[in-house]
């Protein structure tokens, strides 16, 4: 069974659907909506895909970040399918970086963004909560929207640029999903009393 692609924003989901026949679910933004979506999808393999704020000043708008792990104040979610996914995205001609993603309860700007630089490549407000409830979190892919510490008028243009990369990301994810080793289904164990 192919993993579900989880997109927090409507614009992300729409862009992903243009590039794949895989199931794309819009989960809603923020930790609370993400946690509710994760609870409903706990039995499925999931890949979180969307845009995020770049924390590393060397990244530029449009860079695709494959998370090696997703961190938040509550802990860390380790991800196992990093190398093969990064290779598939690079083969599609995308600029790819691999490293930690940080999820925060609110948009990361200003001093908070500066403090997180060097600890993670991208910040978002959903990935940790979407993956933390999954039995089999598979991957997290975020396209860098901007790397500025303050939201400015260019942010909307950069967001559009990042969103325009998502159909190519979706095509690469489709190819990757078709080639990956299938994960055996979970077995439900009956409690013996």
């Amino acid at each position: 069974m192919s993993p579900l692609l989880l997109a927090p924003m409507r614009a992300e989901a729409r862009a992903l659907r243009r590039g794949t026949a895989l199931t794309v679910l819009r989960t809603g933004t923020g930790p609370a909506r993400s946690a509710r979506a994760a609870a409903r999808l706990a039995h499925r393999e999931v890949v979180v895909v969307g845009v995020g704020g770049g924390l590393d000043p060397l990244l530029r708008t449009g860079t695709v970040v494959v998370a090696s792990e997703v961190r938040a104040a509550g802990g860390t979610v380790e991800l196992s399918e990093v190398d093969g996914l990064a290779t598939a995205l690079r083969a599609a001609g995308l600029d790819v970086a691999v490293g930690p993603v940080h999820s925060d309860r609110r948009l990361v700007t200003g001093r908070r963004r500066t403090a997180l630089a060097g600890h993670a490549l991208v910040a978002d407000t959903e990935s940790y909560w979407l993956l933390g409830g999954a039995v089999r979190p598979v991957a997290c892919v975020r396209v860098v929207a901007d790397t500025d510490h303050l939201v400015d008028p260019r942010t909307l243009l950069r967001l559009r640029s990042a969103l325009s990369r998502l159909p190519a990301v979706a095509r690469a994810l489709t190819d990757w999903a078709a080639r990956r080793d299938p994960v055996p289904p979970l077995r439900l164990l009956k409690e013996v009393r």
Side-chain angles (χ1 to χ4, degrees):
M1 181 181 295
S2 296
L4 296 175
L5 304 185
L6 305 183
M9 294 189 310
R10 179 176 284 118
E12 293 166 332
R14 190 171 35 245
L16 289 167
R17 288 182 184 120
R18 287 196 302 263
T20 187
L22 295 175
T23 302
V24 177
L25 297 177
R26 184 175 68 88
T27 59
T29 58
R33 288 182 180 150
S34 297
R36 283 193 300 272
R40 288 190 309 271
L41 303 169
H43 63 288
R44 293 293 306 267
E45 288 188 305
V46 296
V47 177
V48 175
V49 189
V51 299
L55 298 172
D56 185 330
L58 298 177
L59 296 177
R60 50 184 207 273
T61 298
T63 299
V64 179
V65 174
V66 176
S68 55
E69 61 185 23
V70 178
R71 303 172 181 164
T76 299
V77 177
E78 300 288 335
L79 300 166
S80 59
E81 301 199 32
V82 177
D83 296 332
L85 181 52
T87 299
L89 291 162
R90 287 184 183 112
L94 296 164
D95 180 23
V96 177
V98 175
V101 167
H102 174 81
S103 292
D104 210 283
R105 294 201 167 275
R106 60 184 177 276
L107 191 64
V108 177
T109 59
R111 289 186 198 149
R112 180 83 174 120
R113 206 165 190 172
T114 302
L116 287 170
H119 298 284
L121 297 181
V122 172
D124 66 36
T125 58
E126 300 91 12
S127 295
Y128 175 79
W129 295 277
L130 285 169
L131 294 167
V135 174
R136 292 186 301 236
V138 176
C140 175
V141 178
R142 290 291 186 166
V143 178
V144 175
D146 67 348
T147 57
D148 290 337
H149 297 289
L150 300 172
V151 177
D152 68 22
R154 296 171 295 180
T155 300
L156 184 56
L157 293 174
R158 291 177 183 152
L159 177 61
R160 285 185 185 148
S161 179
L163 289 168
S164 74
R165 295 279 197 286
L166 288 178
V169 168
R171 285 188 290 277
L173 283 167
T174 303
D175 294 342
W176 164 79
R179 288 193 308 269
R180 68 191 275 266
D181 291 331
V183 176
L186 290 176
R187 294 175 192 248
L188 297 175
L189 301 175
K190 292 182 181 179
E191 186 176 315
V192 178
R193 292 185 180 205

